[in-house]
Amino acid sequence: NIDGEALAWAHRRLLTRPEKRRVLIVVSDGTPMDEATFAANGFDYLDGHLAAVVQYIERRSPVRLAAIGIGHDVSQFYATATRVSSIDELGPALAAQLIQLIGDESRTSLA
């Protein structure tokens, strides 16, 4: 659960894609956790790294980013975030996030 690393990796891969519009939706079950990283770097290290990666993507990248927390509020990390109570709610939440991100982007490109 090294979320910042996984997000940075996925973002780099999307940047190599030729499509004009790129969307990345993170599905999370909570905050980043890794015992070895905690032991070596302290409790807040992974949270700080994830926050830095998210901030970079949201502010500087052409990739549109959103997150869905399953049973957890992920809005502390992501500006565009939704929380669902169970996995059964994931499909509709994913569709709603996608519609929002694509809709926002098409309005931006018209300006």
Side-chain angles (χ1 to χ4, degrees), residues 10 21 24 31 35 51 60-61 85-87 93 103 108:
R21 296 186 334 187
L24 178 55
T31 60
E35 292 299 324
R60 296 188 173 159
S61 176
S85 298
S86 71
I87 194 76
T108 304

Side-chain angles (χ1 to χ4, degrees), residues 9-74:
W9 176 84
H11 178 252
R12 282 190 305 271
R13 292 203 40 156
L14 275 175
L15 288 176
T16 66
R17 300 286 310 165
E19 292 81 9
K20 285 184 178 181
R21 296 186 334 187
R22 291 160 281 185
V23 172
L24 178 55
I25 300 177
V26 174
V27 178
S28 176
D29 63 353
T31 60
M33 296 179 66
D34 178 68
E35 292 299 324
T37 304
F38 284 160
N41 300 294
F43 182 72
D44 293 334
Y45 182 81
L46 290 175
D47 284 358
H49 181 252
L50 175 59
V53 172
V54 168
Q55 186 177 60
Y56 176 83
I57 294 170
E58 289 178 343
R59 293 184 180 175
R60 296 188 173 159
S61 176
V63 174
R64 301 297 309 250
L65 179 63
I68 300 171
I70 301 175
H72 296 278
D73 180 12
V74 292

Side-chain angles (χ1 to χ4, degrees), residues 69-108:
I70 301 175
H72 296 278
D73 180 12
V74 292
S75 65
Q76 68 183 7
F77 297 107
Y78 301 89
T80 304
T82 301
R83 180 188 179 276
V84 296
S85 298
S86 71
I87 194 76
D88 296 333
E89 300 171 11
L90 183 58
L94 216 88
Q97 284 286 15
L98 200 51
I99 289 166
Q100 178 184 349
L101 291 173
I102 291 172
D104 285 350
E105 190 168 307
S106 64
R107 280 190 288 267
T108 304

